[in-house]
mmCIF file with all atom_site columns, all heavy atoms in Angstrom:
data_model
loop_
_atom_site.group_PDB
_atom_site.id
_atom_site.type_symbol
_atom_site.label_atom_id
_atom_site.label_alt_id
_atom_site.label_comp_id
_atom_site.label_asym_id
_atom_site.label_entity_id
_atom_site.label_seq_id
_atom_site.pdbx_PDB_ins_code
_atom_site.Cartn_x
_atom_site.Cartn_y
_atom_site.Cartn_z
_atom_site.occupancy
_atom_site.B_iso_or_equiv
_atom_site.pdbx_formal_charge
_atom_site.auth_seq_id
_atom_site.auth_comp_id
_atom_site.auth_asym_id
_atom_site.auth_atom_id
_atom_site.pdbx_PDB_model_num
ATOM 1   N N   . LEU P 1 14 ? -4.795  16.561 2.158  1.00 96.00 ? 14 LEU P N   1
ATOM 2   C CA  . LEU P 1 14 ? -5.750  17.373 2.801  1.00 96.00 ? 14 LEU P CA  1
ATOM 3   C C   . LEU P 1 14 ? -6.600  16.485 3.641  1.00 96.00 ? 14 LEU P C   1
ATOM 4   O O   . LEU P 1 14 ? -7.231  15.457 3.212  1.00 96.00 ? 14 LEU P O   1
ATOM 5   C CB  . LEU P 1 14 ? -6.684  18.126 1.750  1.00 96.00 ? 14 LEU P CB  1
ATOM 6   C CG  . LEU P 1 14 ? -5.832  18.934 0.794  1.00 96.00 ? 14 LEU P CG  1
ATOM 7   C CD1 . LEU P 1 14 ? -6.495  19.041 -0.549 1.00 96.00 ? 14 LEU P CD1 1
ATOM 8   C CD2 . LEU P 1 14 ? -5.601  20.253 1.339  1.00 96.00 ? 14 LEU P CD2 1
ATOM 9   N N   . PRO P 1 15 ? -6.810  16.866 4.977  1.00 96.00 ? 15 PRO P N   1
ATOM 10  C CA  . PRO P 1 15 ? -7.658  16.068 5.866  1.00 96.00 ? 15 PRO P CA  1
ATOM 11  C C   . PRO P 1 15 ? -9.145  16.258 5.458  1.00 96.00 ? 15 PRO P C   1
ATOM 12  O O   . PRO P 1 15 ? -9.666  17.337 5.184  1.00 96.00 ? 15 PRO P O   1
ATOM 13  C CB  . PRO P 1 15 ? -7.447  16.638 7.209  1.00 96.00 ? 15 PRO P CB  1
ATOM 14  C CG  . PRO P 1 15 ? -6.900  18.063 6.958  1.00 96.00 ? 15 PRO P CG  1
ATOM 15  C CD  . PRO P 1 15 ? -6.198  18.096 5.613  1.00 96.00 ? 15 PRO P CD  1
ATOM 16  N N   . CYS P 1 16 ? -9.780  15.128 5.549  1.00 97.00 ? 16 CYS P N   1
ATOM 17  C CA  . CYS P 1 16 ? -11.300 15.131 5.356  1.00 97.00 ? 16 CYS P CA  1
ATOM 18  C C   . CYS P 1 16 ? -11.854 14.901 6.716  1.00 97.00 ? 16 CYS P C   1
ATOM 19  O O   . CYS P 1 16 ? -11.798 13.817 7.317  1.00 97.00 ? 16 CYS P O   1
ATOM 20  C CB  . CYS P 1 16 ? -11.638 14.006 4.372  1.00 97.00 ? 16 CYS P CB  1
ATOM 21  S SG  . CYS P 1 16 ? -10.960 14.077 2.743  1.00 97.00 ? 16 CYS P SG  1
ATOM 22  N N   . SER P 1 17 ? -12.511 15.877 7.235  1.00 96.00 ? 17 SER P N   1
ATOM 23  C CA  . SER P 1 17 ? -13.008 15.921 8.685  1.00 96.00 ? 17 SER P CA  1
ATOM 24  C C   . SER P 1 17 ? -14.521 16.023 8.730  1.00 96.00 ? 17 SER P C   1
ATOM 25  O O   . SER P 1 17 ? -15.077 16.674 7.822  1.00 96.00 ? 17 SER P O   1
ATOM 26  C CB  . SER P 1 17 ? -12.283 17.030 9.405  1.00 96.00 ? 17 SER P CB  1
ATOM 27  O OG  . SER P 1 17 ? -10.939 16.871 9.433  1.00 96.00 ? 17 SER P OG  1
ATOM 28  N N   . ALA P 1 18 ? -15.059 15.482 9.820  1.00 96.00 ? 18 ALA P N   1
ATOM 29  C CA  . ALA P 1 18 ? -16.475 15.645 10.045 1.00 96.00 ? 18 ALA P CA  1
ATOM 30  C C   . ALA P 1 18 ? -16.617 15.479 11.546 1.00 96.00 ? 18 ALA P C   1
ATOM 31  O O   . ALA P 1 18 ? -15.959 14.594 12.211 1.00 96.00 ? 18 ALA P O   1
ATOM 32  C CB  . ALA P 1 18 ? -17.277 14.562 9.348  1.00 96.00 ? 18 ALA P CB  1
ATOM 33  N N   . ARG P 1 19 ? -17.470 16.326 12.106 1.00 95.00 ? 19 ARG P N   1
ATOM 34  C CA  . ARG P 1 19 ? -17.751 16.238 13.608 1.00 95.00 ? 19 ARG P CA  1
ATOM 35  C C   . ARG P 1 19 ? -16.430 16.298 14.459 1.00 95.00 ? 19 ARG P C   1
ATOM 36  O O   . ARG P 1 19 ? -16.253 15.633 15.373 1.00 95.00 ? 19 ARG P O   1
ATOM 37  C CB  . ARG P 1 19 ? -18.436 15.026 13.961 1.00 95.00 ? 19 ARG P CB  1
ATOM 38  C CG  . ARG P 1 19 ? -19.939 15.103 13.336 1.00 95.00 ? 19 ARG P CG  1
ATOM 39  C CD  . ARG P 1 19 ? -20.788 14.011 13.804 1.00 95.00 ? 19 ARG P CD  1
ATOM 40  N NE  . ARG P 1 19 ? -20.341 12.724 13.300 1.00 95.00 ? 19 ARG P NE  1
ATOM 41  C CZ  . ARG P 1 19 ? -20.570 11.515 13.985 1.00 95.00 ? 19 ARG P CZ  1
ATOM 42  N NH1 . ARG P 1 19 ? -21.189 11.531 15.099 1.00 95.00 ? 19 ARG P NH1 1
ATOM 43  N NH2 . ARG P 1 19 ? -20.130 10.443 13.480 1.00 95.00 ? 19 ARG P NH2 1
ATOM 44  N N   . GLY P 1 20 ? -15.425 17.153 14.016 1.00 95.00 ? 20 GLY P N   1
ATOM 45  C CA  . GLY P 1 20 ? -14.265 17.352 14.780 1.00 95.00 ? 20 GLY P CA  1
ATOM 46  C C   . GLY P 1 20 ? -13.166 16.319 14.682 1.00 95.00 ? 20 GLY P C   1
ATOM 47  O O   . GLY P 1 20 ? -12.193 16.325 15.399 1.00 95.00 ? 20 GLY P O   1
ATOM 48  N N   . ARG P 1 21 ? -13.300 15.361 13.838 1.00 96.00 ? 21 ARG P N   1
ATOM 49  C CA  . ARG P 1 21 ? -12.271 14.295 13.721 1.00 96.00 ? 21 ARG P CA  1
ATOM 50  C C   . ARG P 1 21 ? -11.964 14.065 12.197 1.00 96.00 ? 21 ARG P C   1
ATOM 51  O O   . ARG P 1 21 ? -12.833 14.194 11.336 1.00 96.00 ? 21 ARG P O   1
ATOM 52  C CB  . ARG P 1 21 ? -12.691 13.034 14.431 1.00 96.00 ? 21 ARG P CB  1
ATOM 53  C CG  . ARG P 1 21 ? -13.937 12.384 13.787 1.00 96.00 ? 21 ARG P CG  1
ATOM 54  C CD  . ARG P 1 21 ? -14.407 11.231 14.671 1.00 96.00 ? 21 ARG P CD  1
ATOM 55  N NE  . ARG P 1 21 ? -15.654 10.717 14.140 1.00 96.00 ? 21 ARG P NE  1
ATOM 56  C CZ  . ARG P 1 21 ? -15.652 9.564  13.527 1.00 96.00 ? 21 ARG P CZ  1
ATOM 57  N NH1 . ARG P 1 21 ? -14.663 8.787  13.340 1.00 96.00 ? 21 ARG P NH1 1
ATOM 58  N NH2 . ARG P 1 21 ? -16.852 9.179  13.019 1.00 96.00 ? 21 ARG P NH2 1
ATOM 59  N N   . THR P 1 22 ? -10.647 13.751 11.966 1.00 96.00 ? 22 THR P N   1
ATOM 60  C CA  . THR P 1 22 ? -10.291 13.392 10.685 1.00 96.00 ? 22 THR P CA  1
ATOM 61  C C   . THR P 1 22 ? -10.633 12.010 10.280 1.00 96.00 ? 22 THR P C   1
ATOM 62  O O   . THR P 1 22 ? -10.325 11.008 11.048 1.00 96.00 ? 22 THR P O   1
ATOM 63  C CB  . THR P 1 22 ? -8.725  13.643 10.584 1.00 96.00 ? 22 THR P CB  1
ATOM 64  O OG1 . THR P 1 22 ? -8.415  14.991 10.809 1.00 96.00 ? 22 THR P OG1 1
ATOM 65  C CG2 . THR P 1 22 ? -8.348  13.291 9.123  1.00 96.00 ? 22 THR P CG2 1
ATOM 66  N N   . ILE P 1 23 ? -11.336 11.793 9.126  1.00 95.00 ? 23 ILE P N   1
ATOM 67  C CA  . ILE P 1 23 ? -11.850 10.537 8.703  1.00 95.00 ? 23 ILE P CA  1
ATOM 68  C C   . ILE P 1 23 ? -10.950 9.908  7.652  1.00 95.00 ? 23 ILE P C   1
ATOM 69  O O   . ILE P 1 23 ? -10.768 8.739  7.549  1.00 95.00 ? 23 ILE P O   1
ATOM 70  C CB  . ILE P 1 23 ? -13.342 10.670 8.305  1.00 95.00 ? 23 ILE P CB  1
ATOM 71  C CG1 . ILE P 1 23 ? -14.133 11.081 9.415  1.00 95.00 ? 23 ILE P CG1 1
ATOM 72  C CG2 . ILE P 1 23 ? -13.785 9.311  7.605  1.00 95.00 ? 23 ILE P CG2 1
ATOM 73  C CD1 . ILE P 1 23 ? -15.615 11.374 9.070  1.00 95.00 ? 23 ILE P CD1 1
ATOM 74  N N   . ALA P 1 24 ? -10.493 10.744 6.799  1.00 94.00 ? 24 ALA P N   1
ATOM 75  C CA  . ALA P 1 24 ? -9.657  10.386 5.643  1.00 94.00 ? 24 ALA P CA  1
ATOM 76  C C   . ALA P 1 24 ? -8.719  11.504 5.245  1.00 94.00 ? 24 ALA P C   1
ATOM 77  O O   . ALA P 1 24 ? -8.823  12.602 5.778  1.00 94.00 ? 24 ALA P O   1
ATOM 78  C CB  . ALA P 1 24 ? -10.539 9.989  4.455  1.00 94.00 ? 24 ALA P CB  1
ATOM 79  N N   . TYR P 1 25 ? -7.916  11.211 4.314  1.00 94.00 ? 25 TYR P N   1
ATOM 80  C CA  . TYR P 1 25 ? -7.088  12.284 3.630  1.00 94.00 ? 25 TYR P CA  1
ATOM 81  C C   . TYR P 1 25 ? -7.267  12.185 2.163  1.00 94.00 ? 25 TYR P C   1
ATOM 82  O O   . TYR P 1 25 ? -7.339  11.116 1.545  1.00 94.00 ? 25 TYR P O   1
ATOM 83  C CB  . TYR P 1 25 ? -5.588  11.992 3.996  1.00 94.00 ? 25 TYR P CB  1
ATOM 84  C CG  . TYR P 1 25 ? -5.201  12.350 5.391  1.00 94.00 ? 25 TYR P CG  1
ATOM 85  C CD1 . TYR P 1 25 ? -5.265  11.366 6.423  1.00 94.00 ? 25 TYR P CD1 1
ATOM 86  C CD2 . TYR P 1 25 ? -4.854  13.641 5.665  1.00 94.00 ? 25 TYR P CD2 1
ATOM 87  C CE1 . TYR P 1 25 ? -4.964  11.677 7.656  1.00 94.00 ? 25 TYR P CE1 1
ATOM 88  C CE2 . TYR P 1 25 ? -4.559  13.948 7.039  1.00 94.00 ? 25 TYR P CE2 1
ATOM 89  C CZ  . TYR P 1 25 ? -4.584  12.980 8.035  1.00 94.00 ? 25 TYR P CZ  1
ATOM 90  O OH  . TYR P 1 25 ? -4.313  13.366 9.304  1.00 94.00 ? 25 TYR P OH  1
ATOM 91  N N   . LEU P 1 26 ? -7.344  13.368 1.537  1.00 94.00 ? 26 LEU P N   1
ATOM 92  C CA  . LEU P 1 26 ? -7.404  13.509 0.169  1.00 94.00 ? 26 LEU P CA  1
ATOM 93  C C   . LEU P 1 26 ? -5.975  13.763 -0.370 1.00 94.00 ? 26 LEU P C   1
ATOM 94  O O   . LEU P 1 26 ? -5.355  14.861 -0.052 1.00 94.00 ? 26 LEU P O   1
ATOM 95  C CB  . LEU P 1 26 ? -8.358  14.617 -0.183 1.00 94.00 ? 26 LEU P CB  1
ATOM 96  C CG  . LEU P 1 26 ? -8.652  14.861 -1.624 1.00 94.00 ? 26 LEU P CG  1
ATOM 97  C CD1 . LEU P 1 26 ? -9.403  13.704 -2.349 1.00 94.00 ? 26 LEU P CD1 1
ATOM 98  C CD2 . LEU P 1 26 ? -9.624  16.122 -1.741 1.00 94.00 ? 26 LEU P CD2 1
ATOM 99  N N   . SER P 1 49 ? -12.536 18.797 0.503  1.00 97.00 ? 49 SER P N   1
ATOM 100 C CA  . SER P 1 49 ? -12.160 17.770 1.467  1.00 97.00 ? 49 SER P CA  1
ATOM 101 C C   . SER P 1 49 ? -13.102 17.772 2.588  1.00 97.00 ? 49 SER P C   1
ATOM 102 O O   . SER P 1 49 ? -13.426 16.772 3.182  1.00 97.00 ? 49 SER P O   1
ATOM 103 C CB  . SER P 1 49 ? -10.692 17.972 1.910  1.00 97.00 ? 49 SER P CB  1
ATOM 104 O OG  . SER P 1 49 ? -10.587 19.135 2.717  1.00 97.00 ? 49 SER P OG  1
ATOM 105 N N   . GLY P 1 50 ? -13.703 19.038 2.975  1.00 96.00 ? 50 GLY P N   1
ATOM 106 C CA  . GLY P 1 50 ? -14.698 19.011 4.037  1.00 96.00 ? 50 GLY P CA  1
ATOM 107 C C   . GLY P 1 50 ? -15.997 18.289 3.564  1.00 96.00 ? 50 GLY P C   1
ATOM 108 O O   . GLY P 1 50 ? -16.589 17.551 4.403  1.00 96.00 ? 50 GLY P O   1
ATOM 109 N N   . VAL P 1 52 ? -16.120 15.885 1.396  1.00 97.00 ? 52 VAL P N   1
ATOM 110 C CA  . VAL P 1 52 ? -15.755 14.425 1.313  1.00 97.00 ? 52 VAL P CA  1
ATOM 111 C C   . VAL P 1 52 ? -15.856 13.857 2.738  1.00 97.00 ? 52 VAL P C   1
ATOM 112 O O   . VAL P 1 52 ? -16.344 12.736 2.925  1.00 97.00 ? 52 VAL P O   1
ATOM 113 C CB  . VAL P 1 52 ? -14.351 14.233 0.691  1.00 97.00 ? 52 VAL P CB  1
ATOM 114 C CG1 . VAL P 1 52 ? -13.864 12.821 0.880  1.00 97.00 ? 52 VAL P CG1 1
ATOM 115 C CG2 . VAL P 1 52 ? -14.409 14.626 -0.764 1.00 97.00 ? 52 VAL P CG2 1
ATOM 116 N N   . GLY P 1 53 ? -15.326 14.623 3.722  1.00 97.00 ? 53 GLY P N   1
ATOM 117 C CA  . GLY P 1 53 ? -15.403 14.129 5.187  1.00 97.00 ? 53 GLY P CA  1
ATOM 118 C C   . GLY P 1 53 ? -16.821 13.897 5.587  1.00 97.00 ? 53 GLY P C   1
ATOM 119 O O   . GLY P 1 53 ? -17.061 12.875 6.160  1.00 97.00 ? 53 GLY P O   1
ATOM 120 N N   . ILE P 1 54 ? -17.724 14.833 5.260  1.00 97.00 ? 54 ILE P N   1
ATOM 121 C CA  . ILE P 1 54 ? -19.110 14.713 5.661  1.00 97.00 ? 54 ILE P CA  1
ATOM 122 C C   . ILE P 1 54 ? -19.648 13.485 4.937  1.00 97.00 ? 54 ILE P C   1
ATOM 123 O O   . ILE P 1 54 ? -20.476 12.762 5.541  1.00 97.00 ? 54 ILE P O   1
ATOM 124 C CB  . ILE P 1 54 ? -19.838 16.025 5.354  1.00 97.00 ? 54 ILE P CB  1
ATOM 125 C CG1 . ILE P 1 54 ? -19.322 17.108 6.349  1.00 97.00 ? 54 ILE P CG1 1
ATOM 126 C CG2 . ILE P 1 54 ? -21.373 15.770 5.462  1.00 97.00 ? 54 ILE P CG2 1
ATOM 127 C CD1 . ILE P 1 54 ? -19.855 18.430 6.027  1.00 97.00 ? 54 ILE P CD1 1
ATOM 128 N N   . ALA P 1 55 ? -19.427 13.339 3.681  1.00 97.00 ? 55 ALA P N   1
ATOM 129 C CA  . ALA P 1 55 ? -20.006 12.248 2.841  1.00 97.00 ? 55 ALA P CA  1
ATOM 130 C C   . ALA P 1 55 ? -19.567 10.913 3.451  1.00 97.00 ? 55 ALA P C   1
ATOM 131 O O   . ALA P 1 55 ? -20.284 9.931  3.560  1.00 97.00 ? 55 ALA P O   1
ATOM 132 C CB  . ALA P 1 55 ? -19.600 12.299 1.403  1.00 97.00 ? 55 ALA P CB  1
ATOM 133 N N   . VAL P 1 56 ? -18.213 10.793 3.732  1.00 97.00 ? 56 VAL P N   1
ATOM 134 C CA  . VAL P 1 56 ? -17.694 9.539  4.240  1.00 97.00 ? 56 VAL P CA  1
ATOM 135 C C   . VAL P 1 56 ? -18.384 9.236  5.662  1.00 97.00 ? 56 VAL P C   1
ATOM 136 O O   . VAL P 1 56 ? -18.686 8.154  5.979  1.00 97.00 ? 56 VAL P O   1
ATOM 137 C CB  . VAL P 1 56 ? -16.147 9.536  4.351  1.00 97.00 ? 56 VAL P CB  1
ATOM 138 C CG1 . VAL P 1 56 ? -15.588 8.405  5.168  1.00 97.00 ? 56 VAL P CG1 1
ATOM 139 C CG2 . VAL P 1 56 ? -15.540 9.592  3.080  1.00 97.00 ? 56 VAL P CG2 1
ATOM 140 N N   . ASP P 1 57 ? -18.454 10.326 6.502  1.00 97.00 ? 57 ASP P N   1
ATOM 141 C CA  . ASP P 1 57 ? -19.107 10.113 7.846  1.00 97.00 ? 57 ASP P CA  1
ATOM 142 C C   . ASP P 1 57 ? -20.510 9.688  7.713  1.00 97.00 ? 57 ASP P C   1
ATOM 143 O O   . ASP P 1 57 ? -21.002 8.803  8.396  1.00 97.00 ? 57 ASP P O   1
ATOM 144 C CB  . ASP P 1 57 ? -18.970 11.464 8.613  1.00 97.00 ? 57 ASP P CB  1
ATOM 145 C CG  . ASP P 1 57 ? -19.433 11.309 10.019 1.00 97.00 ? 57 ASP P CG  1
ATOM 146 O OD1 . ASP P 1 57 ? -18.969 10.419 10.649 1.00 97.00 ? 57 ASP P OD1 1
ATOM 147 O OD2 . ASP P 1 57 ? -20.247 12.160 10.480 1.00 97.00 ? 57 ASP P OD2 1
ATOM 148 N N   . ASN P 1 58 ? -21.264 10.296 6.725  1.00 97.00 ? 58 ASN P N   1
ATOM 149 C CA  . ASN P 1 58 ? -22.628 9.936  6.518  1.00 97.00 ? 58 ASN P CA  1
ATOM 150 C C   . ASN P 1 58 ? -22.846 8.438  6.097  1.00 97.00 ? 58 ASN P C   1
ATOM 151 O O   . ASN P 1 58 ? -23.715 7.682  6.526  1.00 97.00 ? 58 ASN P O   1
ATOM 152 C CB  . ASN P 1 58 ? -23.307 10.790 5.477  1.00 97.00 ? 58 ASN P CB  1
ATOM 153 C CG  . ASN P 1 58 ? -23.699 12.172 6.103  1.00 97.00 ? 58 ASN P CG  1
ATOM 154 O OD1 . ASN P 1 58 ? -23.694 12.396 7.228  1.00 97.00 ? 58 ASN P OD1 1
ATOM 155 N ND2 . ASN P 1 58 ? -23.910 13.092 5.191  1.00 97.00 ? 58 ASN P ND2 1
ATOM 156 N N   . ALA P 1 59 ? -21.851 8.032  5.237  1.00 97.00 ? 59 ALA P N   1
ATOM 157 C CA  . ALA P 1 59 ? -21.822 6.692  4.764  1.00 97.00 ? 59 ALA P CA  1
ATOM 158 C C   . ALA P 1 59 ? -21.592 5.709  5.961  1.00 97.00 ? 59 ALA P C   1
ATOM 159 O O   . ALA P 1 59 ? -22.215 4.614  6.045  1.00 97.00 ? 59 ALA P O   1
ATOM 160 C CB  . ALA P 1 59 ? -20.763 6.437  3.670  1.00 97.00 ? 59 ALA P CB  1
ATOM 161 N N   . MET P 1 60 ? -20.661 6.079  6.859  1.00 97.00 ? 60 MET P N   1
ATOM 162 C CA  . MET P 1 60 ? -20.336 5.219  7.979  1.00 97.00 ? 60 MET P CA  1
ATOM 163 C C   . MET P 1 60 ? -21.495 5.201  9.008  1.00 97.00 ? 60 MET P C   1
ATOM 164 O O   . MET P 1 60 ? -21.862 4.138  9.532  1.00 97.00 ? 60 MET P O   1
ATOM 165 C CB  . MET P 1 60 ? -19.097 5.740  8.751  1.00 97.00 ? 60 MET P CB  1
ATOM 166 C CG  . MET P 1 60 ? -17.776 5.472  7.893  1.00 97.00 ? 60 MET P CG  1
ATOM 167 S SD  . MET P 1 60 ? -16.232 5.831  8.633  1.00 97.00 ? 60 MET P SD  1
ATOM 168 C CE  . MET P 1 60 ? -16.466 7.310  9.700  1.00 97.00 ? 60 MET P CE  1
ATOM 169 N N   . LEU P 1 61 ? -22.219 6.334  9.145  1.00 97.00 ? 61 LEU P N   1
ATOM 170 C CA  . LEU P 1 61 ? -23.411 6.370  9.982  1.00 97.00 ? 61 LEU P CA  1
ATOM 171 C C   . LEU P 1 61 ? -24.510 5.507  9.339  1.00 97.00 ? 61 LEU P C   1
ATOM 172 O O   . LEU P 1 61 ? -25.205 4.852  10.143 1.00 97.00 ? 61 LEU P O   1
ATOM 173 C CB  . LEU P 1 61 ? -23.872 7.803  10.251 1.00 97.00 ? 61 LEU P CB  1
ATOM 174 C CG  . LEU P 1 61 ? -23.031 8.729  11.111 1.00 97.00 ? 61 LEU P CG  1
ATOM 175 C CD1 . LEU P 1 61 ? -23.462 10.158 11.001 1.00 97.00 ? 61 LEU P CD1 1
ATOM 176 C CD2 . LEU P 1 61 ? -23.081 8.282  12.487 1.00 97.00 ? 61 LEU P CD2 1
#
Side-chain angles (χ1 to χ4, degrees):
L14 302 150
C16 301
S17 301
R19 296 187 291 151
R21 62 188 176 106
T22 300
I23 295 173
Y25 285 92
L26 183 62
S49 70
V52 168
I54 291 169
V56 170
D57 187 49
N58 284 344
M60 291 186 324
L61 288 170

